[in-house]
Amino acid sequence: MKFGVTQYLTMLFGIILFVVPACLLITLAVMLIRALWKYIHSEPKGEKQEQEDAVKKSLGESIKENRQRCNLTQEQVAEKLSVSRQAVSKWENGTAEPSTANLLALAELFGISVDTLLHCTQNP
């Protein structure tokens, strides 16, 4: 049985119409399985990380409370420590931590020890 060119093209077109969507579905299924596997085997946020987050929040709260106790604005604290107001804001909201030198300067500015400034971070 001989096939003509049009019959070959029709058969080829039929195969393409079947194979391409099948390959796309297989690729999608593999990607979905990989994503689920990664999600299932990902480690949940550990207790240590939660404690570190609490420490950041507590230190920021301590800085803010002491700043307010001393009737200082973020701008005033920033000027006295030669940092930006945004740096003080980040310390207070916990998105950044002050350097050791800045911790010492904050404690001196607030008239407290570094231990007192950090005390609340020991018991989150």
Side-chain angles (χ1 to χ4, degrees):
M1 184 172 190
K2 292 186 175 182
F3 290 104
V5 174
T6 55
Q7 291 173 330
Y8 277 119
L9 290 175
T10 304
M11 191 167 48
L12 181 63
F13 184 70
I15 291 172
I16 290 173
L17 282 178
F18 173 75
V19 171
V20 171
C23 288
L24 290 174
L25 285 175
I26 291 169
T27 303
L28 183 62
V30 168
M31 290 172 61
L32 181 61
I33 290 169
R34 284 184 181 172
L36 287 172
W37 182 267
K38 187 174 181 178
Y39 176 75
I40 290 170
H41 290 91
S42 66
E43 293 186 24
K45 195 173 196 181
E47 190 174 313
K48 183 178 180 182
Q49 182 65 40
E50 289 174 2
Q51 287 176 348
E52 288 176 5
D53 290 348
V55 167
K56 289 178 187 175
K57 291 176 188 172
S58 297
L59 177 59
E61 289 170 359
S62 179
I63 293 170
K64 184 175 182 176
E65 288 170 8
N66 281 289
R67 176 182 61 78
Q68 291 173 339
R69 179 184 54 79
C70 294
N71 294 320
L72 295 169
T73 64
Q74 288 182 347
E75 187 69 34
Q76 291 168 327
V77 172
E79 285 177 20
K80 292 181 189 285
L81 271 61
S82 299
V83 297
S84 67
R85 186 204 52 80
Q86 289 83 357
V88 176
S89 174
K90 288 179 181 181
W91 298 341
E92 289 184 1
N93 68 31
T95 57
E97 293 181 353
S99 67
T100 305
N102 285 331
L103 271 176
L104 292 168
L106 283 167
E108 186 177 328
L109 177 64
F110 298 148
I112 59 175
S113 69
V114 174
D115 189 45
T116 303
L117 184 62
L118 295 173
H119 178 69
C120 65
T121 64
Q122 301 304 314
N123 301 313

